[in-house]
Amino acid sequence: MGTKNPNLGTVQVSLMAIAKAISPVKTWAYVATLLCTTERTAKHRLANTREITADEIAKLLRSEDGIHFLVALMADARPSWWKTMLRMGVLGGIERRREADLQLLRNVADVSNQTSAELPAALMVQDSEFYGPVFDALDAVARRPRSTVDAPTGKGGRR
């Protein structure tokens, strides 16, 4: 009792490693919930002293984190359907990152707009004699020419 079962394959070891990675604190409770089993049985599964059943593997695959368990089960196998699934996952990941990046850009733009409107006012309250000319100069530099007539000329007065 309490010793590791040398007959257990790498499948159970890799599945339990995934469970530990997903829920590093009280992993036994996570496994017990997923497998609908007792604390004792979950701890045996995690310690690899008792073999995981096919029904329990199915429960792991049907869970919210099932994709992680599926990746562990597939290991180095690369049938054509799995390659297609991996490509779809990569494309989905790219799309999720793209959406997250767009949201981040929107948030930064909102903060920039808010800051650019509020910062000068706050600094002017502190020291209007100093910041007044600074912001006037910044505004003058930031303004774009209204037409080609207003555009600054290069060397020799040519455009």
Side-chain angles (χ1 to χ4, degrees), residues 32-154:
T33 302
L34 285 180
L35 302 180
C36 303
T37 189
T38 64
E39 174 184 341
R40 183 170 184 234
T41 302
K43 286 182 177 180
H44 276 291
R45 298 293 186 267
L46 284 166
N48 298 317
T49 54
R50 298 227 182 110
E51 195 170 349
I52 193 166
T53 67
D55 286 338
E56 290 171 336
I57 292 173
K59 287 178 184 178
L60 293 174
L61 292 173
R62 291 181 189 135
S63 71
E64 286 294 319
D65 298 310
I67 189 69
H68 301 291
F69 294 109
L70 179 60
V71 169
L73 281 174
M74 292 304 293
D76 295 331
R78 294 292 182 256
S80 60
W81 67 267
W82 182 241
K83 290 177 187 176
T84 302
M85 291 288 292
L86 290 175
R87 271 188 243 114
M88 289 171 43
V90 167
L91 293 174
I94 290 169
E95 181 63 22
R96 281 189 299 279
R97 284 192 304 275
R98 185 180 151 283
E99 288 297 322
D101 288 347
L102 283 173
Q103 185 58 43
L104 180 63
L105 285 172
R106 286 185 194 110
N107 292 345
V108 168
D110 288 345
V111 168
S112 294
N113 291 339
Q114 182 181 11
T115 303
S116 65
E118 293 174 356
L119 184 61
L123 292 174
M124 290 292 285
V125 168
Q126 291 179 6
D127 190 352
S128 61
E129 290 178 18
F130 176 78
Y131 288 110
V134 171
F135 288 122
D136 290 341
L138 288 173
D139 287 342
V141 170
R143 267 188 234 116
R144 295 183 182 201
R146 293 191 190 110
S147 69
T148 55
V149 174
D150 296 337
T153 59

